[in-house]
Amino acid sequence: MPGVDHCLQEAMAIPGAVGASIVDYTTGFPVATTGAAPNNDHEAAAAGTADVVQAATTRSLYVSALPHDLLEDLIITTAGGYHLLRPVQTDFDSRLVLYLWLDRVQGNLAVARRRMQTLADELVAT
């Protein structure tokens, strides 16, 4: 898939980035990974990412009251970091999600969210 390697390189250039991946959230398959993963297991992290995104997109608790409102991102916070999940919106199936593990001390959540938005848009454009 063109642009995947570049996208992950750019994700790792975000200050505080610990690891990044692109996940097919319908299958839990890691399309591409770089850097570290929680518990040093990219496959388990991808499966967990898929579970979280599926839960957020299919459960009425998280559905917006606005018609045709799309999920922009999910943020999981821990004492030591942030886990950002950004669905890649496409005109066809929108199966991919960008995942970024960000160190809480060295990273900036607002900057990372904006950069992940740009990376998702660039990934679609390639």
Side-chain angles (χ1 to χ4, degrees):
M1 171 180 253
V4 169
D5 291 333
H6 174 74
C7 179
L8 290 182
Q9 287 174 353
E10 290 294 314
M12 290 303 291
I14 296 170
V18 176
S21 62
I22 299 173
V23 176
D24 178 331
Y25 75 83
T26 63
T27 64
F29 179 76
V31 175
T33 63
T34 190
N39 299 316
N40 294 317
D41 190 342
H42 283 285
E43 287 77 21
T49 296
D51 288 345
V52 170
V53 172
Q54 287 178 11
T57 57
T58 61
R59 306 300 192 281
S60 62
L61 176 64
Y62 301 108
V63 175
S64 174
L66 300 174
H68 309 293
D69 197 12
L70 298 174
L71 175 67
E72 288 186 350
D73 54 27
L74 296 165
I75 302 167
I76 300 168
T77 61
T78 66
Y82 302 108
H83 301 267
L84 282 72
L85 291 75
R86 178 80 187 189
V88 178
Q89 303 297 336
T90 65
D91 290 335
F92 45 100
D93 62 4
S94 299
R95 299 168 53 134
L96 299 180
V97 62
L98 295 177
Y99 165 79
L100 177 68
W101 184 8
L102 189 67
D103 180 88
R104 192 172 191 138
V105 174
Q106 296 181 7
N108 180 310
L109 183 57
V111 169
R113 285 186 68 215
R114 295 291 295 240
R115 190 67 189 121
M116 291 288 281
Q117 177 184 6
T118 301
L119 291 174
D121 293 344
E122 288 174 357
L123 189 59
V124 171
T126 58

